[in-house]
Amino acid sequence: MTETQTHREPAAAGPGSAGPISPISPISPISPAGSVSPAGPAGRVSPAGPAAQGPPQTGKEILERARAAAPLLRERSEEIERARRLPPDVVETLRATGVFRMGFGRRWGGPELTSAEQTEVIEALSYGDASAGWCAMIGSDTGLYAAFLDEPVAREMFPSLDMITAGLLFPTGHAERVPGGYRLTGRWQFGSGITHSDWVISGAFIYRDGQPEPGPDGDPHDSRLMMVPREQVEIVDTWHTTGLAGSGSCDYVITDVFVPEEHTLVFGAVRNGTGALAQPEVHMRNMPGVPLGIARAALDHARETVAGRARPSGAAAADDYRVQVVIAGCEADFVATRNGVYGSMRRQHDVLAAGGTFDDLTPDERAALPLSRLHAFRTARSIVSRLYDLLQTSSIYRPSPLDRWLRDTNTMCQHIVAQDRILQSAGAHLLGGRPGFPLCLGIV
């Protein structure tokens, strides 16, 4: 894998826009999947402990390891943000929790966590650090993608269940049909976790002899997802952002790389596996774990801070009416939002695990899935903002985690799952209209 350091001219505001950036040091070598890096500088906890226990086999064990890792991630948050990517030993700490294997089914020897269980793991890690939780959420999709590949091919591609996949799914690349596959070229944004990934998945439009190739469903221009080994990808250092700075979500370039047909997929075609996880929108389900983890961390931080404060009059801050109302209001929003996320997800699981389909959900139940995701992102931003104001000047300094959480939640709310396009799609489904982003409803 190579890295290009670039300077961009100032661009119009919006996702992906960036001003001039300064060079950074090259990416540190990353250990092979499943290995454990040496201990970091003195005083840091090595990930060798969890790894030495062997890979976790159950969702309970993965969640316990994620919760144990959270304080270590919190300690490293400032360093992670400065580095603008996860340090190699932090990646190995995550790998040792089992988060990257949790989407693999039992027939693979994996733990096969339900979507709700996966979300709980991401929530626990994000409680420690938002960028680490975001990268864990993205990287854990490897086992989910395996269902959309032929099983022998997937087993060859993923010899370890702890391998990491990153990339952008929207079709911005150019894939020219050639015998046996495609020649892929393009530049993609938002490659979260790409600096430590094993595979890179990228959306691309299909061309034949330079002309757009229609899709089998009548789409005038077909597209597919292409999986490429990380070593064949060039990373462009563009990730200078408001928040989620440690996610390393750089642009990346693929230039005339041959992608075998069997290394491509579409979410409309499950090629091995059945059940609740072999579904087209499965990769979106655990995303609310990140904002929920941040919101819970911010609430706990605010409550601990208030408990140790006194007013100039000597009265305890905990007896202040405004403090009480703000904390209770944020807790109410958190509880309602979290229950909405897990309640809709568990209802979906019950239907799909029993052999049903999305069509067996009522329109309200189906719309609740993307709406609860969106609401988790927006509510977390609201909670952090209110707590930031509540704690006043103590919030504004960079050592304050509230400063980082404010920037992290504002940044993650620019993702499509938190945008009005989701509201339009859910509203259209409820009213019998046409969703603009049908995949969020499991429609392909």
Side-chain angles (χ1 to χ4, degrees):
M1 176 177 64
T2 60
E3 178 172 17
T4 300
Q5 296 176 346
T6 67
H7 293 267
R8 282 185 175 178
E9 294 302 318
S17 63
I21 63 175
S22 58
I24 60 172
S25 59
I27 301 171
S28 301
I30 298 174
S31 303
S35 67
V36 179
S37 298
R44 290 184 184 162
V45 179
S46 167
Q53 302 170 27
Q57 301 300 318
T58 66
K60 181 176 182 291
E61 189 176 359
I62 293 174
L63 182 58
E64 288 174 349
R65 292 193 187 190
R67 287 172 174 164
L72 311 180
L73 298 174
R74 182 75 61 84
E75 291 174 5
R76 304 289 294 278
S77 286
E78 289 184 59
E79 177 192 354
I80 290 170
E81 185 169 51
R82 286 194 305 268
R84 297 188 293 110
R85 65 198 64 198
L86 299 188
D89 66 311
V90 171
V91 175
E92 297 310 322
T93 295
L94 293 177
R95 203 187 311 266
T97 68
V99 65
F100 298 127
R101 63 172 47 220
M102 64 184 182
F104 278 100
R106 293 185 182 89
R107 57 202 292 266
W108 289 71
E112 196 173 325
L113 272 64
T114 68
S115 295
E117 291 171 330
Q118 293 176 35
T119 305
E120 288 181 305
V121 172
I122 299 302
E123 188 177 2
L125 294 170
S126 301
Y127 185 90
D129 181 75
S131 291
W134 189 268
C135 288
M137 177 266 294
I138 296 289
S140 69
D141 288 341
T142 304
L144 306 179
Y145 295 143
F148 300 93
L149 299 164
D150 289 332
E151 184 171 342
V153 173
R155 288 187 181 275
E156 182 179 355
M157 292 171 65
F158 310 131
S160 165
L161 301 187
D162 296 310
M163 297 181 78
I164 300 168
T165 302
L168 182 71
L169 304 182
F170 287 102
T172 61
H174 180 118
E176 185 73 27
R177 277 199 179 274
V178 295
Y182 307 85
R183 305 296 304 189
L184 178 62
T185 297
R187 177 166 175 158
W188 293 259
Q189 293 181 301
F190 310 121
S192 301
I194 196 168
T195 56
H196 56 261
S197 67
D198 300 291
W199 286 90
V200 177
I201 185 168
S202 307
F205 284 110
I206 308 302
Y207 294 80
R208 186 186 294 272
D209 299 326
Q211 298 300 311
E213 180 168 281
D217 57 355
D219 191 320
H221 201 173
D222 197 14
S223 63
R224 295 185 72 81
L225 295 165
M226 312 267 165
M227 299 200 70
V228 172
R230 183 198 66 204
E231 292 77 13
Q232 295 178 296
V233 175
E234 180 184 13
I235 295 175
V236 187
D237 177 22
T238 54
W239 195 241
H240 295 258
T241 57
T242 303
L244 289 181
S247 66
S249 304
C250 299
D251 290 13
Y252 62 96
V253 173
I254 297 173
T255 305
D256 196 32
V257 169
F258 175 71
V259 183
E261 179 74 40
E262 59 268 25
H263 287 187
T264 73
L265 60 102
V266 293
F267 288 134
V270 174
R271 289 151 79 173
N272 77 85
T274 59
L277 297 183
Q279 304 292 333
E281 46 57 84
V282 64
H283 59 284
M284 300 183 193
R285 295 183 199 161
N286 61 23
M287 294 187 73
V290 182
L292 290 175
I294 297 171
R296 183 69 263 162
L299 275 161
D300 288 351
H301 171 77
R303 290 170 61 171
E304 290 167 7
T305 301
V306 166
R309 279 187 175 180
R311 296 299 182 194
S313 64
D319 289 328
D320 183 272
Y321 178 85
R322 175 172 175 262
V323 171
Q324 294 167 341
V325 168
V326 171
I327 293 292
C330 290
E331 286 285 0
D333 286 350
F334 177 80
V335 170
T337 300
R338 191 173 188 273
N339 285 341
V341 166
Y342 285 102
S344 60
M345 204 180 303
R346 287 177 176 131
R347 170 59 183 156
Q348 178 199 51
H349 175 80
D350 289 346
V351 170
L352 298 178
T357 70
F358 277 92
D359 292 337
D360 294 312
L361 296 169
T362 68
D364 286 2
E365 289 171 338
R366 195 165 187 170
L369 296 161
L371 289 177
S372 64
R373 281 194 291 268
L374 175 144
H375 196 58
F377 278 78
R378 293 188 176 185
T379 301
R381 177 171 61 180
S382 172
I383 288 172
V384 171
S385 180
R386 282 180 280 166
L387 297 176
Y388 184 93
D389 289 343
L390 179 68
L391 298 187
Q392 300 176 338
T393 53
S394 66
S395 303
I396 68 175
Y397 296 100
R398 282 298 175 97
S400 165
L402 271 172
D403 170 79
R404 184 168 53 252
W405 291 325
L406 184 74
R407 291 180 285 106
D408 288 339
T409 52
N410 274 279
T411 296
M412 68 179 62
C413 278
Q414 308 317 307
H415 194 282
I416 189 172
V417 298
Q419 293 293 299
D420 285 353
R421 194 174 176 190
I422 301 300
L423 294 176
Q424 182 278 326
S425 298
H429 182 69
L430 291 171
L431 298 171
R434 182 172 182 174
F437 185 42
L439 184 61
C440 73
L441 295 154
I443 300 170
V444 292

